[in-house]
Amino acid sequence: MKKFLLSAAAIMMAASMMAINPAKFELKMMTGGEQTSVLPNEMAGCAMVFGDYDNDGDLDLFYVGGQNADRMYVGLLKNTGNGEFEAVELPDDFVALQQASAAWMDYNNDGNLDLIVVGTPDGTTTYTYVMKNLGADEGYAFEEDLDNYLPGVYGEGNDNVQHIIAPVDFDNDGWTDLVLNGNAGGKWDGEHGRMTALFKNVEGVFQFVDDKATIGAEVFAQVNGGGVTVADLNNDGYMDILVTGYDDNADKLPDGEGNIGKGNGASYVYMNNGNGGYSKLDMTFAAAENQGLLVAIDANNDGWLDIVEMGRDLNNGWANSANLYMNDGTGKFAQAENHGLVGGQTVIGMGDMNNDGFMDFAHTGWPTVSIAYGKGDGTFDEVSFNVATGLDQLSARGGATSVVDLNGDNTLDIHVSGWSDANGRWSDGIAFNTAKDTLGADLPANAAPSAPKNVTVVKGNDGYTITWEAAEDDNTPAAALRYNIMAKAADGTAWMLVPADPETGKQKVAGLAPAYLNTLSYTFKGEGEYTFFVQAIDGANVGSTFATVGTGVDNINAIELKVRKVVENGQVYIIKNNEKFTVLGQKVEL
């Protein structure tokens, strides 16, 4: 591994002075024309999600959605290697839906990816169903888990479906919970037709978290027409929730004639309190609705996630909107100017696509279809899907976009589906990254980061506190590396923050940007005895092998110590027996 010796300031200065090198892609169509078709045509209002359901190291593709009640589809494509796919027969439990979405997650900690599927067959009836992966002994077949009832939801329109499900362990208890967002088609809770709802995973069974019943107040705004994502915005090890959409109760603006009533578009961030609850961040956004989205990205490689807001601003005549809010490391965000981003309806896939160490994201929709290449200084260069990039045939809207390594070469490819206005036809294909730029020069190679070192675990009154030292990488600066946690229970079951292969470290889900950690500490609150593992993740979503405590359980202090974690001025500290330490173990004055 090459060790990064440049300071963050030097990296940012160098980035601002150099031009980005857009990657060159080679296209393989998956529908239509003379190409071999493995997907149905007319795939709008759909979700296409990549996950390794059969644990063979290749990312497979589940799809659900369609234009209307006469054109709805559902299917699973197995990746047979090198990005080639073949159809898998599914049981009748899988329902074809429109305005549909899906997400891979391991909700029962058995090491196999399960599916959450939502949508509507007719624009009125709503579905949410849980498909359990039965594992190797049953040939990785699926069956519907009838013990799990979740209220039905769909995306409300063919442009608003890709990002309405977010798996997340919100309370750090070792069971992955679920956030659902969208149109319920009726009053799902007896009061609301729109939905932003959190469901706690209680040992494999989802239960609605009713804030009104527990704290007497409704925390989450009930919205639809946008999307939901999750990320740890203040590096405290607890996942926050970012939501956009149409809110009946949002403050309305004057309509130009002096009348109140113009627009209800809204964007909200809910900060995790670390005690099982959330509080809305006191922050004003541009209110991007109509397939609007808030996503977290480290735009300047300082180890703190910034916020990109994209969509169409209902409050300002449906103006195309793009904004960047920079995280100052104290929990506050400042709106950036001259960021270079172009807005509009959007679905997003994220990762370092040209291996320069800076995060990028592909966004497709209307009117913009491009890759926003990060320059590492909080600015981006937008490069349209064009002939030079090899992406011109994937200019599309109303479908799905994923940034994912489909052939295992540690470079990120792009999958896009939807309707192409530019080409006048349906478009669905994979653009394989050639590891060269548009001028034919080689892009930097990308190796996996080193495994984290000096992993330590302390068991205290608040659970287990896991700490580790920063890893190293050949492209991604150490401050911008992210981390994944695995907790293995005594019975052999295992929870992961983001599903990955426990032996190789290869990520088992891909697409937008899984909610990794940007800190060097995590508090795990699961009950029982566990062995803990940590891996590093680079900008191209390549994972290191998992590291564990060097000498096993001897390094775990099982005494009931007074241990807690605090965040002060953006810095995480551990308080143990009234002594204060940084997450790297350095003692500081209280």
Side-chain angles (χ1 to χ4, degrees):
M1 296 292 166
K2 292 186 292 183
K3 189 172 182 178
F4 255 80
L5 300 177
L6 292 175
S7 67
I11 293 170
M12 291 173 58
M13 182 177 297
S16 65
M17 293 188 296
M18 67 181 182
I20 56 98
N21 291 320
K24 174 76 173 181
F25 295 85
E26 290 182 351
L27 182 63
K28 177 181 176 62
M29 297 301 292
M30 299 182 76
T31 58
E34 298 178 357
Q35 304 288 337
T36 301
S37 296
V38 292
L39 279 172
N41 213 338
E42 304 176 349
M43 285 299 291
C46 63
M48 297 197 176
V49 290
F50 290 89
D52 182 9
Y53 83 96
D54 55 359
N55 294 333
D56 66 352
D58 296 315
L59 292 168
D60 312 298
L61 172 59
F62 176 79
Y63 62 87
V64 62
Q67 272 291 87
N68 52 46
D70 296 323
R71 293 177 287 180
M72 302 183 300
Y73 311 96
V74 63
L76 176 63
L77 300 179
K78 174 179 169 56
N79 188 336
T80 59
N82 204 35
E84 299 287 338
F85 292 87
E86 64 181 19
V88 174
E89 184 176 354
L90 291 176
D92 293 338
D93 293 343
F94 281 92
V95 180
L97 301 167
Q98 59 176 310
Q99 300 177 47
S101 193
W104 294 103
M105 65 183 295
D106 181 7
Y107 74 91
N108 55 3
N109 289 353
D110 67 352
N112 302 307
L113 287 182
D114 314 298
L115 275 165
I116 311 296
V117 186
V118 304
T120 176
D122 53 16
T124 301
T125 309
T126 56
Y127 275 83
T128 297
Y129 56 91
V130 179
M131 301 302 297
K132 179 166 59 176
N133 187 332
L134 300 180
D137 291 343
E138 300 292 334
Y140 296 103
F142 291 87
E143 70 174 12
E144 186 172 4
D145 185 351
L146 298 178
D147 291 331
N148 259 307
Y149 170 77
L150 290 163
V153 66
Y154 63 99
E156 192 207 27
N158 287 332
D159 291 327
N160 311 102
V161 298
Q162 177 75 353
H163 304 298
I164 63 173
I165 307 175
V168 58
D169 185 359
F170 81 95
D171 53 1
N172 294 20
D173 69 345
W175 294 90
T176 303
D177 313 300
L178 198 62
V179 185
L180 295 180
N181 167 247
N183 192 336
K187 299 190 182 303
W188 65 275
D189 60 350
E191 185 176 355
H192 300 102
R194 311 180 198 277
M195 181 191 293
T196 306
L198 177 60
F199 297 88
K200 177 178 171 59
N201 185 342
V202 181
E203 298 185 1
V205 178
F206 294 106
Q207 297 181 2
F208 172 53
V209 178
D210 188 352
D211 288 318
K212 294 181 72 174
T214 57
I215 65 174
E218 186 174 80
V219 174
F220 299 114
Q222 302 302 304
V223 301
N224 64 354
V228 58
T229 61
V230 295
D232 180 10
L233 294 173
N234 59 355
N235 286 357
D236 65 352
Y238 294 93
M239 292 298 166
D240 312 305
I241 298 174
L242 303 85
V243 183
T244 63
Y246 187 95
D247 181 3
D248 288 316
N249 298 316
D251 293 335
K252 296 185 178 182
L253 302 177
D255 62 3
E257 302 294 331
N259 302 310
I260 300 298
K262 179 188 175 186
N264 287 76
S267 297
Y268 301 116
V269 170
Y270 298 97
M271 301 302 294
N272 194 321
N273 298 332
N275 58 6
Y278 282 84
S279 300
K280 187 170 74 172
L281 184 66
D282 184 13
M283 180 175 171
T284 301
F285 293 95
E289 199 251 7
N290 191 237
Q291 203 173 349
L293 199 64
L294 295 178
V295 295
I297 183 172
D298 187 355
N300 58 355
N301 278 355
D302 65 351
W304 294 87
L305 291 174
D306 313 297
I307 299 174
V308 170
E309 179 186 36
M310 281 196 168
R312 299 180 68 204
D313 190 349
L314 172 61
N315 296 344
N316 287 287
W318 297 107
N320 297 318
S321 175
N323 294 287
L324 175 65
Y325 305 89
M326 300 300 295
N327 189 335
D328 69 357
T330 69
K332 296 181 180 179
F333 295 84
Q335 188 168 358
E337 297 181 358
N338 303 317
H339 45 68
L341 298 173
V342 180
Q345 291 180 3
T346 190
V347 288
I348 290 176
M350 192 177 298
D352 180 5
M353 280 173 268
N354 57 353
N355 289 344
D356 64 356
F358 309 130
M359 288 295 288
D360 318 307
F361 60 93
H363 56 113
T364 68
W366 186 89
T368 304
V369 182
S370 65
I371 298 177
Y373 283 98
K375 299 173 69 175
D377 60 353
T379 67
F380 294 83
D381 278 353
E382 294 269 13
V383 177
S384 297
F385 281 24
N386 55 35
V387 174
T389 62
L391 295 168
D392 54 304
Q393 297 300 307
L394 288 186
S395 176
R397 62 177 172 86
T401 295
S402 297
V403 170
V404 51
D405 178 11
L406 287 174
N407 54 5
D409 63 355
N410 289 359
T411 59
L412 288 172
D413 313 305
I414 302 175
H415 172 265
V416 176
S417 65
W419 172 257
S420 174
D421 292 296
N423 300 308
R425 60 170 172 75
W426 296 97
S427 181
D428 196 299
I430 299 169
F432 288 99
N433 195 326
T434 67
K436 295 182 180 295
D437 66 19
T438 54
L439 298 178
D442 289 339
L443 295 175
N446 186 45
S450 65
K453 296 179 180 179
N454 295 328
V455 180
T456 63
V457 181
V458 174
K459 184 178 180 182
N461 295 331
D462 197 33
Y464 296 89
T465 297
I466 308 108
T467 61
W468 57 92
E469 291 183 1
E472 299 173 356
D473 188 62
D474 49 356
N475 296 324
T476 306
L481 287 171
R482 298 158 296 161
Y483 297 91
N484 193 18
I485 300 285
M486 175 170 61
K488 189 172 183 179
D491 63 2
T493 60
W495 164 88
M496 294 189 194
L497 190 68
V498 177
D501 186 305
E503 300 299 326
T504 67
K506 186 170 183 177
Q507 303 304 279
K508 291 171 63 174
V509 296
L512 172 60
Y516 299 109
L517 296 170
N518 285 71
T519 182
L520 303 177
S521 175
Y522 186 77
T523 297
F524 180 84
K525 297 184 177 181
E527 297 181 357
E529 295 299 320
Y530 294 87
T531 305
F532 296 94
F533 306 80
V534 186
Q535 71 169 158
I537 309 293
D538 71 10
N541 300 330
V542 178
S544 73
T545 55
F546 280 93
T548 189
V549 176
T551 57
V553 296
D554 292 341
N555 276 16
I556 299 178
N557 187 345
I559 302 173
E560 293 297 315
L561 301 172
K562 293 182 178 179
V563 178
R564 60 189 176 91
K565 184 167 62 177
V566 298
V567 178
E568 297 177 0
N569 296 322
Q571 174 66 51
V572 179
Y573 296 100
I574 295 171
I575 309 296
K576 182 172 71 174
N577 290 345
N578 286 327
E579 292 185 317
K580 185 176 181 182
F581 300 86
T582 69
V583 293
L584 297 181
Q586 180 181 0
K587 186 175 179 180
V588 295
E589 295 297 326
L590 282 170

